[in-house]
Amino acid sequence: MAYKPRSVPEELKVLRILNNRMDFTSEQQKYYLYKEKGFEGEVRFDLLEEQLQSDCLILNDLNLEVNNTSFQLDTSIIFQDTFYFFEVKNYEGDYCYREERFETNFGKIIKNPLDQIKRSNSLLLQLFQVLGFSQTIDACVVFVNPEFFLYQAPIDKPIFYPPQLKQLMRKLDNEPSKLTNRHKRIADKLISLHQVKSPYSHTKIPTYDYERLRKGFTCSKCNSFLCSITSGKLVCADCGQVEIVESAVLRSVGEIKLLFPDKRITTNCVYEWCGVVESKKVINRILIKRFSRIGHGKFSYYVDK
Ligand SMILES: [Zn+2]
């Protein structure tokens, strides 16, 4: 079990909702799928590293900053003497390594993950100096997609390919390790410095406005809009998923809050967003139960308790 588990990045949460509620251009769709794929790769690697038996602390997804420069570590593992971090790539298909560069098989140059770990390594080292940590740092790139292939792969670079991942895990499992409170303090310090990135700082999120987004409950499992309410439950006509209306309403409130952090949560707006609830009373009852009401009558709105 990871000491710091991974959660869905805020940006991806926003993209998922928008993908469902508006029509992306092909460029936006491409960006969304790229993000989805990256996350899928990280989760794939999590499943492997969580099987490690040795005494270590796993920290998934750290956004850190040193000297006003930010960097991100996909996966970090603290062992007794060494701090490992991994740059996880979910690339699929054929790539080529040519003159210290990564290219697609169409010759398009892509971001070099070896440069990425070099940069992160130097920033992490600076951070460790500031914090007074003396842990040795070791970094590598891991390609996790079984359908990835790199032509002219260099043999002298810190890279692990899909068929080598089991071997990598064995190597880590053989790392002699006995952790103490000192290691836990390093982990806790890094977690305390982790910055949850605001999704709105990403300029690549498509612009959207409340009026133009598709309204209505969506299925919690398959995202379908074909949902109806039967005796207090939301039932999906596409996949058969059943969800209690209260939980579906709260999920919808979460969506509104994530997309429109400045918008006031009112009965009317939640009613409009959910779509198929027959009466505003149902919405009202749930909001009163779960939130604090500010103001009275038609000007009232709800905030977290
Ligand atoms: Zn469904």
Side-chain angles (χ1 to χ4, degrees):
M1 185 62 192
Y3 193 66
K4 177 185 180 296
R6 186 179 310 280
S7 46
V8 181
E10 300 293 293
E11 184 194 18
L12 184 54
K13 283 188 198 163
V14 169
L15 288 169
R16 281 179 179 173
I17 303 170
L18 292 181
N19 178 48
N20 216 13
R21 296 186 181 271
M22 66 187 272
D23 297 318
F24 279 172
T25 63
S26 64
E27 205 51 38
Q28 291 166 342
Q29 184 72 12
K30 227 162 95 185
Y31 179 68
Y32 162 60
L33 292 177
Y34 168 77
K35 285 287 160 183
E36 199 67 89
K37 194 153 196 159
F39 182 66
E40 177 196 289
E42 288 163 11
V43 171
R44 197 189 286 239
F45 190 63
D46 292 349
L47 293 176
L48 284 176
E49 108 236 323
E50 274 164 17
Q51 292 169 20
L52 287 175
Q53 300 290 319
S54 57
D55 195 9
C56 63
L57 292 169
I58 301 171
L59 307 175
N60 287 327
D61 184 34
L62 285 172
N63 294 316
L64 301 169
E65 202 184 277
V66 66
N67 299 330
N68 295 319
T69 312
S70 52
F71 60 106
Q72 194 212 332
L73 308 178
D74 292 338
T75 298
S76 310
I77 308 183
I78 301 176
F79 285 97
Q80 185 176 319
D81 299 319
T82 314
F83 184 102
Y84 284 95
F85 75 85
F86 302 91
E87 177 66 37
V88 181
K89 294 291 178 205
N90 196 16
Y91 298 164
E92 191 178 320
D94 295 342
Y95 290 78
C96 183
Y97 188 78
R98 199 174 287 143
E99 293 166 16
E100 310 260 309
R101 289 195 305 246
F102 285 79
E103 296 176 4
T104 65
N105 54 348
F106 305 112
K108 187 184 165 211
I109 297 169
I110 56 163
K111 217 200 254 175
N112 186 338
L114 291 168
D115 290 345
Q116 273 174 276
I117 58 170
K118 213 159 140 191
R119 174 182 181 275
S120 301
N121 203 332
S122 123
L123 292 165
L124 186 63
L125 199 61
Q126 289 177 46
L127 182 64
F128 275 15
Q129 264 175 8
V130 172
L131 298 173
F133 296 158
S134 56
Q135 209 81 348
T136 311
I137 300 170
D138 199 341
C140 55
V141 177
V142 284
F143 289 102
V144 293
N145 196 311
E147 290 179 43
F148 170 78
F149 191 81
L150 187 64
Y151 286 98
Q152 303 178 52
I155 54 167
D156 56 345
K157 303 285 184 206
I159 301 177
F160 288 87
Y161 301 93
Q164 298 175 308
L165 295 181
K166 275 194 180 144
Q167 193 185 323
L168 169 64
M169 292 303 139
R170 270 202 299 277
K171 173 181 169 276
L172 294 175
D173 251 341
N174 286 329
E175 187 96 358
S177 191
K178 185 98 189 68
L179 299 191
T180 63
N181 274 336
R182 181 175 65 87
H183 299 96
K184 205 166 160 289
R185 272 200 301 277
I186 296 178
D188 289 337
K189 185 68 195 173
L190 292 176
I191 292 172
S192 77
L193 293 174
H194 169 67
Q195 297 172 329
V196 178
K197 272 194 226 155
S198 159
Y200 316 103
S201 63
H202 296 271
T203 47
K204 280 202 160 182
I205 287 188
T207 48
Y208 56 92
D209 63 78
Y210 180 84
E211 306 303 326
R212 289 169 59 182
L213 292 178
R214 208 167 293 143
K215 309 294 192 301
F217 273 125
T218 54
C219 169
S220 62
K221 196 173 164 195
C222 76
N223 291 328
S224 167
F225 279 91
L226 286 177
C227 295
S228 59
I229 291 180
T230 324
S231 28
K233 294 190 177 99
L234 188 72
V235 182
C236 172
D238 270 333
C239 77
Q241 170 81 348
V242 177
E243 186 183 17
I244 292 173
V245 167
E246 179 167 327
S247 120
V249 169
L250 293 175
R251 197 159 50 79
S252 303
V253 173
E255 290 183 350
I256 303 172
K257 284 166 75 166
L258 186 61
L259 295 183
F260 307 98
D262 299 328
K263 195 173 172 67
R264 284 188 169 174
I265 301 297
T266 63
T267 304
N268 276 334
C269 104
V270 177
Y271 179 74
E272 186 182 22
W273 190 263
C274 295
V276 296
V277 186
E278 304 104 64
S279 85
K280 284 186 191 173
K281 275 191 192 145
V282 176
I283 303 278
N284 223 351
R285 210 183 53 227
I286 296 168
L287 292 178
I288 288 172
K289 186 171 149 198
R290 293 305 201 95
F291 297 91
S292 298
R293 178 156 61 178
I294 309 275
H296 291 284
K298 65 176 184 176
F299 295 111
S300 62
Y301 61 96
Y302 297 85
V303 295
D304 285 338
K305 268 187 180 162

